[in-house]
């Protein structure tokens, strides 16, 4: 089949490569001028690095270069993805600088209407535009007055060079990883740098105690099992049963180390609650140099505070905070999250795709319940996003071939509803409309591969309980699926009266 893929980030490229290997013709469309999605040059802010170590943030058959640092920069990740596209021939199927403005479903598939008035016809459609597709900028009262006085408000992803902050009074709104990442380089050039944090979040040290890489604690199956999942199996039952005191002590001890290591009490930056509640906000890797900047005064954090309005005072742009503080602010950088949207899908399609709270109703984070011929990939944001996207691509390839045994529609819907309800509780609804699965990344991989009877061996999975998960362990999954599909489609030579069956054209989503 001809498959359209919207988005040339990690998920879009992995989907294209896998479907090409399964024999499909693909076209990958992205409005950016380069591949990479969140790593694109159009979206990279100064200080951007991966959150996961390079050995874990990888594709099974294409690791990052050995000379990359432990936490590669945004530019390095983008270069790696460009090399991936070239290595597997995906680059010949790319249409960059091409925005899909509308995707219309008809009896023959999908018609993709493009910004340049072009059209693409495809049999099936994969949405891989990313769950961090559009930055969310708060509506600040007084913006017009502020702007007229020379102030600027921008999303973090629109600030590409710390020199743009040279000699300016900068306010960074947010306390997540991106906020802290951009704050450090900006503080080197700005006249002043203030962080406006509505809520403090726990930060995990890159190296616990200064020597143990955090991947040995949280990027393992044991690390994931410290957080209660909807289904408890094996050792999970012990950890959330008789072993609960041990489990709680293990995770909260990271918080104790974090407080000592970053001197959070002295800085007045101890978050509310315990490290165990980290998943209810966001699991953030500490940015190198951030707390050091707070200690030396080059970075000032206003905790439990928001901007109530922007204004001009004495002809200069300022911001008023909820505690009454008035700060000069010629540049306000909003690292306040993103919205997940599919504006190119008609409203009647979105009505079938979303629940009453606008959560995405996706079975296995992939398959819409009521829109045949449509798939999603990358809507399973995780610690291991490349691996999760790659395994989702395998699932899509199998489903296109009619090779995924599915429950009946009622049971699928019940599974999606139950999963959303669980994530509401587990993350305090911080699951990006059902598209973020942190910290349950490997549970998702297991569910997707168990559907296909393609999971890696129990022995290798057991080794990942204490060792960081190695995506290379999944290297054989795609070849095994391709071999299975090739065997399934092999048939005796057809006669004119009896054409050979073509399982790869089976309707999807039924």
């Amino acid at each position: 089949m001809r498959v359209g893929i919207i988005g040339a980030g990690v998920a879009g490229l992995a989907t294209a490569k896998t479907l090409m290997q399964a024999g499909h013709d693909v076209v990958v469309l992205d409005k950016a001028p380069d591949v990479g999605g969140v790593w694109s040059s159009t979206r990279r802010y100064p200080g951007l690095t991966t959150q996961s170590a390079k050995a874990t943030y990888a594709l099974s058959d294409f690791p990052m270069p050995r000379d990359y640092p432990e936490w590669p920069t945004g530019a390095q990740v983008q270069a790696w993805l460009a090399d991936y596209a070239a290595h597997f021939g995906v680059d010949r199927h790319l249409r960059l600088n091409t925005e899909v403005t509308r995707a219309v479903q008809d009896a023959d598939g999908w018609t993709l209407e493009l910004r340049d008035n072009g059209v693409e016809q495809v049999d099936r459609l994969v949405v891989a535009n990313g769950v961090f597709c559009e930055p969310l900028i708060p509506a600040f009262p007084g913006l017009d007055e502020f702007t007229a006085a020379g102030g600027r408000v921008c999303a973090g992803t629109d600030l590409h060079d710390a020199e743009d902050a040279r000699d300016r009074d900068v306010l960074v709104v947010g306390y997540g990883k991106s906020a802290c990442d951009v704050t450090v380089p900006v503080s080197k050039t700005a006249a002043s740098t203030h962080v406006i944090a509505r809520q403090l979040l726990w930060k995990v040290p890159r190296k616990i105690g200064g020597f143990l890489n955090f991947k040995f604690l949280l990027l393992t199956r044991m690390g994931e099992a410290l957080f209660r999942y909807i289904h408890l199996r094996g050792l999970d039952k012990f950890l959330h049963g008789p072993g609960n005191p041990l489990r709680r002590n293990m995770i909260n001890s990271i918080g104790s180390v974090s407080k000592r290591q970053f001197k959070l009490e002295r800085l007045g930056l101890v978050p509310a609650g315990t490290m165990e509640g980290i998943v209810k906000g966001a699991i953030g890797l500490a940015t190198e140099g951030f707390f050091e900047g707070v200690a030396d005064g080059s970075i000032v954090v206003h905790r439990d505070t928001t901007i109530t309005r922007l204004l001009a005072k004495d002809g200069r742009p300022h911001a008023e905070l909820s505690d009454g503080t008035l700060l000069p602010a010629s540049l306000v950088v909003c690292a306040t999250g993103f919205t997940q949207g599919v504006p190119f899908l008609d409203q009647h399609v979105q009505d079938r795709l979303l629940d009453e709270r606008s959560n995405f109703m996706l079975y296995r984070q992939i398959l819409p319940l009521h829109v045949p011929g449509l798939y999603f990939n990358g809507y399973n944001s995780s610690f291991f996003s490349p691996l999760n996207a790659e395994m989702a691509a395998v699932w899509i390839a199998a489903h296109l071939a009619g090779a995924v045994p599915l429950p009946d529609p009622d049971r699928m819907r019940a599974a999606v509803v139950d999963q959303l309800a669980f994530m509401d509780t587990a993350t305090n609804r911080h699951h990006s409309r059902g598209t973020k699965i942190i910290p349950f990344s490997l549970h998702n991989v297991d569910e997707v591969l168990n559907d296909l009877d393609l999971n890696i061996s129990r022995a290798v999975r057991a080794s990942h309980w204490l060792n960081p998960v190695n995506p290379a362990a999944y290297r054989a999954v795609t070849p095994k699926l391709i071999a299975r599909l090739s065997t399934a489609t092999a048939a005796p030579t057809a006669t004119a009266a009896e054409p050979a069956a073509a399982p790869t054209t089976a309707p999807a989503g039924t």
Side-chain angles (χ1 to χ4, degrees):
M1 282 182 280
R2 181 165 173 79
V3 182
I5 301 169
I6 300 177
V10 174
L13 296 178
T15 302
K17 174 257 189 185
T18 304
L19 296 189
M20 287 167 60
Q21 291 179 334
H24 298 286
D25 177 29
V26 304
V27 57
V28 184
L29 307 108
D30 198 300
K31 62 184 178 182
D34 54 4
V35 302
V38 295
W39 307 105
S40 165
S41 60
T42 62
R43 302 188 57 182
R44 286 201 302 269
Y45 51 83
L48 174 62
T49 68
T50 62
Q51 176 151 273
S52 299
K54 69 174 180 180
T56 57
Y57 193 90
L59 291 152
S60 70
D61 52 5
F62 203 78
M64 288 194 185
R66 290 186 177 182
D67 62 351
Y68 273 21
E70 183 73 339
W71 288 275
T73 66
Q76 289 172 323
V77 176
Q78 194 279 328
W80 166 66
L81 290 172
D83 289 344
Y84 174 83
H87 181 80
F88 290 106
V90 176
D91 56 345
R92 297 190 296 273
H93 299 261
L94 292 173
R95 289 197 60 183
L96 301 175
N97 288 306
T98 304
E99 182 179 0
V100 177
T101 57
R102 191 172 179 225
V104 181
Q105 189 174 30
D106 53 40
D108 297 322
W110 295 83
T111 299
L112 308 182
E113 300 176 3
L114 312 179
R115 176 71 64 189
D116 61 4
N117 296 320
V119 171
E120 284 282 352
Q121 297 288 154
V122 296
D123 301 309
R124 301 288 183 265
L125 181 62
V126 180
V127 174
N129 66 331
V131 301
F132 307 116
C133 52
E134 296 296 335
L136 178 64
I137 299 180
F140 295 114
L143 178 60
D144 291 342
E145 177 186 348
F146 174 83
T147 304
R152 176 191 174 197
V153 175
C154 71
T157 51
D158 290 330
L159 186 73
H160 304 307
D161 191 337
E163 283 301 313
D164 292 344
R166 172 69 61 183
D167 299 328
R168 305 188 75 169
D169 295 305
V170 179
L171 268 57
V172 178
V173 184
Y175 199 72
K177 180 180 179 296
S178 60
C180 296
D181 279 354
V182 77
T183 294
V184 173
V186 162
S187 70
K188 309 298 184 185
T189 62
S192 65
T193 307
H194 293 254
V195 175
I196 313 303
R198 179 178 57 85
Q199 178 185 11
L200 294 187
L201 305 172
W202 284 100
K203 301 293 183 179
V204 179
R206 290 171 186 251
K207 291 189 176 180
I208 309 294
F211 68 91
L212 180 64
N213 192 311
F214 94 107
K215 68 184 180 182
F216 288 97
L217 294 180
L218 290 182
L219 300 186
T220 64
R221 285 183 175 268
M222 172 65 81
E224 184 166 313
L226 295 177
F227 303 95
R228 184 184 183 91
Y229 192 51
I230 186 172
H231 305 297
L232 295 179
R233 299 185 177 90
L235 188 55
D236 289 14
K237 290 184 177 180
F238 169 76
L239 288 173
H240 295 275
N244 194 52
L246 172 65
R247 178 198 64 80
R248 183 177 292 117
N249 183 64
M250 288 173 64
I251 193 167
N252 287 331
S253 65
I254 302 175
S256 299
V257 171
S258 179
K259 282 199 293 187
R260 290 196 302 270
Q261 190 166 329
F262 297 132
K263 301 178 176 61
L264 296 183
E265 289 182 339
R266 182 186 304 174
L267 299 177
L269 295 180
V270 178
T274 63
M275 179 67 82
E276 186 176 10
I278 190 172
V279 69
K280 293 187 181 293
I283 298 179
L285 187 67
T287 300
E288 291 183 323
F290 180 81
F291 291 112
E292 292 84 350
V294 176
D296 67 26
S298 60
I299 298 170
V300 179
V301 177
H302 300 261
R303 62 174 297 168
D304 309 317
T305 309
T306 59
I307 295 177
T308 54
R309 66 176 178 134
L310 301 175
L311 67 153
K313 181 182 180 184
D314 300 327
R316 296 178 56 203
H318 283 69
E320 183 179 84
L321 308 186
S322 55
D323 63 2
T325 302
L326 189 65
L327 294 174
S330 52
L331 176 61
V332 177
V333 181
C334 297
T336 43
F338 296 81
T339 58
Q340 295 73 40
V342 282
F344 43 82
L345 294 177
D346 287 342
Q347 189 60 50
H348 73 277
V349 174
Q350 294 196 41
D351 289 343
R352 288 182 286 158
L353 179 63
L354 307 173
D355 70 6
E356 65 280 358
R357 292 191 289 127
S358 294
N359 290 317
F360 286 85
M361 298 283 286
L362 302 174
Y363 184 71
R364 297 296 190 236
Q365 310 295 132
I366 301 170
L367 187 70
L369 299 178
H370 307 296
V371 189
L374 181 65
Y375 301 91
F376 284 74
N377 198 355
Y379 278 52
N380 50 2
S381 175
S382 74
F383 273 144
F384 304 93
S385 288
L387 177 63
N388 282 94
E390 189 179 5
M391 296 304 102
V394 171
W395 197 97
I396 292 170
H399 192 271
L400 285 169
V404 181
L406 293 174
D408 63 60
D410 288 341
R411 290 176 60 194
M412 279 201 295
R413 178 177 178 79
V416 174
V417 170
D418 290 348
Q419 181 76 12
L420 285 170
F422 165 74
M423 291 298 286
D424 277 349
T425 301
T427 69
N428 197 26
R429 296 196 176 187
H430 291 154
H431 51 66
S432 302
R433 296 173 62 194
T435 65
K436 187 182 79 172
I437 60 174
I438 293 175
F440 307 112
S441 318
L442 300 172
H443 284 85
N444 178 262
V445 170
D446 286 343
E447 290 166 351
V448 165
L449 293 184
N450 286 342
D451 284 348
L452 310 178
D453 193 24
L454 282 175
N455 212 339
I456 60 176
S457 71
R458 288 180 179 271
V460 175
R461 280 181 279 157
S463 73
H464 289 164
W465 270 82
L466 296 179
N467 296 306
V469 172
N470 182 4
Y474 293 82
R475 186 185 182 99
V477 170
T478 300
K480 284 182 179 178
L481 175 71
I482 302 306
R484 181 188 297 176
L485 298 183
S486 299
T487 301
T489 57
T493 303
T495 65
E498 188 179 349
T504 56
T505 59
T510 57

